[in-house]
Amino acid sequence: MRADRVFAYGATAGLLGDLLLGDPRRGHPVAAFGRAAGAVERVLWRDHRGWGALHTAVCVGGAAGLAALASHSVRSSRTASIALTAAATWAVVGGTSLGREARAIGDALAAGDVEVARERLPHLCGRDPQALDAHGIARAVVESVAENTSDAVVGALVWGAVGGVPGLVAFRAVNTLDAMVGHKSPKYRRYGWASARLDDVAGWPGARLTAVLASAAGSDPRGAVRAWRADARKHPSPNAGPVEASFAGALGVRLGGTLAYGGRVEHRPVLNGTGRAVQVDDIERAVRLSRRVSWLALGVSAAGRLLSQRLLAKGRTS
């Protein structure tokens, strides 16, 4: 079976597996990678960009290399190749868990239990929950759903279409390392520089596809495109900007503004300033939009791999 069909069938099965099962509570492969990356960090850490770049190369290269070996070992079996692609897709995407966490916070807010919502918010993002009221928590959840739709689903599918199982695994490794060491704390400002920059590069295509699909799948496509064009560049993240701006326009809400990370206050530009303030009900709307975008991304990624394989085949025979 051709590689394009292996990816299409395997990725579809993996995304269905995520929909039905979500992430395992124990023994998740991404958690195992995180522990391994932490062990490498304990050996290599220096307050230096070069050592951080070595850490990134060892961890991402090792994960991608193991995935390539696994793919090579099953290449002669159609069933095994599809199963490996399905398993890798299920392991690296996290759309169902993202939706569950967002909805759990939304349910707590709807019940008026702000304290429970604050306790659960760190499961979803790194904001300081004590600095947020109910509306601030709802806004943080919608922003996290938007950004993680790209990071946890769409970006992985894009790189899976490009590189198969190694592409899926490498993207998740890059994204996980960025979450571990890519933030601008005193400890990681230099050491995490390479991981953060690599994550910006790896996340670029998935973020733009997410913005396109959110604009197409939302209730206000024109508003989404308008907010994307007007406000995305104002965001400090080159990839979160297009995603959050398009989600804001698609949902008709305002995102951005003042927020706090670990005691550090940031004043971010407002995205879609003509929209209304985020309400608790918008969390469910954001989760539904995220799911639509995820399935559309699967279709686009599979079609893109199919088209590229046909063009390559045509080029070899011409």
Side-chain angles (χ1 to χ4, degrees):
M1 180 180 287
R2 297 200 314 250
D4 52 355
R5 294 183 181 178
V6 168
F7 173 75
Y9 297 157
T12 300
L15 207 59
L16 284 171
D18 177 66
L19 177 65
L20 297 173
L21 304 174
D23 291 333
R25 297 187 180 275
R26 295 182 179 180
H28 198 293
V30 175
F33 170 81
R35 290 191 294 271
V40 174
E41 179 191 341
R42 287 191 291 274
V43 174
L44 295 180
W45 188 92
R46 307 286 191 281
D47 191 15
H48 190 277
R49 285 185 176 182
W51 285 96
L54 178 59
H55 177 224
T56 301
V58 168
C59 294
V60 176
L66 289 174
L69 285 173
S71 295
H72 183 76
S73 68
V74 300
R75 71 189 188 283
S76 60
S77 170
R78 176 181 61 184
T79 301
S81 295
I82 293 174
L84 179 62
T85 303
T89 302
W90 168 78
V92 304
V93 302
T96 295
S97 294
L98 171 66
R100 286 175 180 172
E101 289 295 338
R103 283 171 168 149
I105 297 171
D107 290 344
L109 292 175
D113 200 335
V114 178
E115 286 305 315
V116 170
R118 286 182 177 137
E119 290 175 3
R120 295 197 68 99
L121 187 62
H123 294 282
L124 194 63
C125 64
R127 306 283 176 88
D128 181 2
Q130 300 306 316
L132 299 173
D133 59 10
H135 291 293
I137 293 172
R139 191 192 80 194
V141 171
V142 171
E143 290 172 353
S144 296
V145 168
E147 184 174 1
N148 283 295
T149 299
S150 176
D151 288 344
V153 184
V154 180
L157 292 173
V158 168
W159 284 104
V162 172
V165 170
L168 287 164
V169 172
F171 177 81
R172 175 54 61 224
V174 170
N175 192 249
T176 302
L177 274 186
D178 178 61
M180 294 176 66
V181 304
H183 44 87
K184 295 181 179 180
S185 66
K187 180 177 180 180
Y188 293 120
R189 189 178 301 275
R190 294 184 181 88
Y191 188 80
W193 177 85
S195 291
R197 297 291 77 78
L198 184 58
D199 184 67
D200 287 342
V201 173
W204 196 95
R208 273 70 193 170
L209 179 58
T210 302
V212 169
L213 297 179
S215 300
S219 58
D220 186 2
R222 290 185 178 180
V225 173
R226 183 169 57 250
W228 177 10
R229 295 180 61 183
D231 299 329
R233 294 179 183 177
K234 301 175 183 177
H235 199 286
S237 168
N239 294 329
V243 173
E244 291 184 19
S246 62
F247 262 71
L251 297 171
V253 300
R254 292 193 308 274
L255 298 178
T258 302
L259 50 86
Y261 283 99
R264 186 180 76 255
V265 176
E266 293 185 13
H267 301 284
R268 292 184 178 177
V270 173
L271 307 177
N272 193 39
T274 59
R276 57 176 174 78
V278 176
Q279 304 295 322
V280 175
D281 291 346
D282 293 317
I283 293 176
E284 177 63 27
R285 296 177 63 224
V287 170
R288 291 180 179 178
L289 177 59
S290 174
R291 181 160 292 180
R292 292 196 297 272
V293 168
S294 298
W295 285 103
L296 287 171
L298 173 64
V300 171
S301 298
R305 187 169 176 91
L306 173 63
L307 178 61
S308 65
Q309 293 290 322
R310 287 186 175 180
L311 290 175
L312 287 173
K314 184 177 181 180
R316 287 193 293 266
T317 56
S318 61

